[in-house]
Amino acid sequence: MRLDKAVALTGLTRSEARRAIAAGRVRVDGRPVRDAAMQVQPEQVRVNGVQLEEPGALYIMVNKPAGVLTATEDRRLPTVVDLLPPALRRRDLGPVGRLDRDVTGLVLLTTDGQLAHRLISPKWKAEKLYRARCEGMLTEREVEAFASGVVLSDFTARPARLVLLETGDDGSTADVALTEGKFHQVKRMFAAVGHPLTGLERLRIGCLSLDPALGPGAWRHLTGDEARALRRMCELEEG
Ligand code: URA
């Protein structure tokens, strides 16, 4: 494909891609190239030193703000895909698992269906880490209840790790790590032990942590190392 098209896969518009090429910020096989029409494979291209992933294997992290749906389209409400530039919105990216509309934090969008499947499958037990704020004072009793499996009306949750960060009569903050993700699961677990949630943010999926430099609504491509580590974790061949 043309070099400017390959550079636009990063989410730049075609004219921004051409400006990046003209400014010498694009290298092909290590050499700066200023010919936007040059034919390339995306994996030969680096923009500002960052290698492009192959088309068809895009990996993007989004810091989902409250009020945004974890969906690819919706008639009324903004979705995580709407946070991306138009060139990326057309790329068939799907979210890996879902966060409720009021929940914030890490959403992984990818075109890698195999990886997405393994990250959400209970069989593969990829751990998800959340920061939870709840009503009332959490104690070791709740830590033990989470560790032994909170009993809900329709199932018993798998053992989960609860780490208390701040506790007080007027509310507590804790990190909770789960290896399953049933509907409203974290909210239901906290409600079941008598501490309804007042806020929930996802910080990590498996080995992929939310980049603290990404403010609410911001996104970035995963680095090659991050994408490779996720695939390795799910016992997939190098992508
Ligand atoms: N648990 C919930 O209750 N909601 C989410 O969005 C994710 C986990």
Side-chain angles (χ1 to χ4, degrees):
M1 72 174 71
R2 283 174 57 111
L3 180 59
D4 52 358
K5 189 168 176 199
V7 173
L9 294 173
T10 59
L12 298 180
T13 62
R14 203 63 96 80
S15 52
E16 286 167 340
R18 287 198 199 106
R19 277 200 293 279
I21 295 165
R25 290 192 279 121
V26 175
R27 287 173 180 258
V28 176
D29 292 332
R31 284 189 302 278
V33 168
R34 289 192 156 78
D35 174 10
M38 181 180 180
Q39 289 295 311
V40 294
Q41 296 299 318
E43 60 271 23
Q44 295 173 275
V45 180
R46 284 177 178 261
V47 181
N48 293 329
V50 177
Q51 176 149 19
L52 296 187
E53 294 298 329
E54 273 200 76
L58 280 174
Y59 304 89
I60 289 174
M61 72 163 79
V62 176
N63 184 356
K64 182 181 112 47
V68 170
L69 296 181
T70 313
T72 50
E73 54 183 20
D74 190 81
R75 289 234 203 104
R76 291 182 309 117
L77 294 167
T79 72
V80 280
V81 171
D82 294 330
L83 298 170
L84 305 177
L88 286 174
R89 276 184 235 153
R90 292 189 289 269
R91 294 291 307 282
D92 261 347
L93 285 154
V96 176
R98 280 169 204 281
L99 292 181
D100 299 336
R101 185 166 144 200
D102 58 335
V103 173
T104 61
L106 177 62
V107 173
L108 172 63
L109 294 168
T110 185
T111 53
D112 183 341
Q114 240 182 346
L115 178 74
H117 173 74
R118 292 198 183 182
L119 286 174
I120 56 178
S121 158
K123 187 173 139 228
W124 284 86
K125 298 197 177 121
E127 189 178 87
K128 282 96 188 169
L129 180 72
Y130 296 87
R131 175 127 330 146
R133 283 165 291 284
C134 67
E135 291 179 9
M137 170 116 74
L138 291 172
T139 65
E140 284 306 313
R141 211 173 29 182
E142 285 75 40
V143 174
E144 280 158 28
F146 274 53
S148 47
V150 175
V151 180
L152 300 170
S153 58
D154 47 347
F155 74 104
T156 300
R158 279 187 187 157
R161 217 160 10 91
L162 184 67
V163 176
L164 307 184
L165 300 175
E166 273 180 31
T167 58
D169 285 334
D170 51 1
S172 303
T173 305
D175 280 351
V176 56
L178 307 188
T179 56
E180 60 190 346
K182 300 214 172 76
F183 191 55
H184 295 331
Q185 182 157 347
V186 181
K187 288 178 183 163
R188 293 184 63 198
M189 287 167 70
F190 276 80
V193 295
H195 295 275
L197 283 188
T198 52
L200 187 64
E201 179 184 17
R202 184 156 64 193
L203 300 178
R204 182 165 58 72
I205 300 172
C207 56
L208 180 70
S209 294
L210 178 64
D211 184 339
L214 289 183
W219 64 275
R220 72 160 169 80
H221 290 276
L222 264 54
T223 63
D225 282 349
E226 286 170 330
R228 274 189 294 277
L230 277 177
R231 285 185 60 89
R232 248 195 327 271
M233 186 187 92
C234 292
E235 295 176 27
L236 292 167
E237 305 279 304
E238 291 262 305

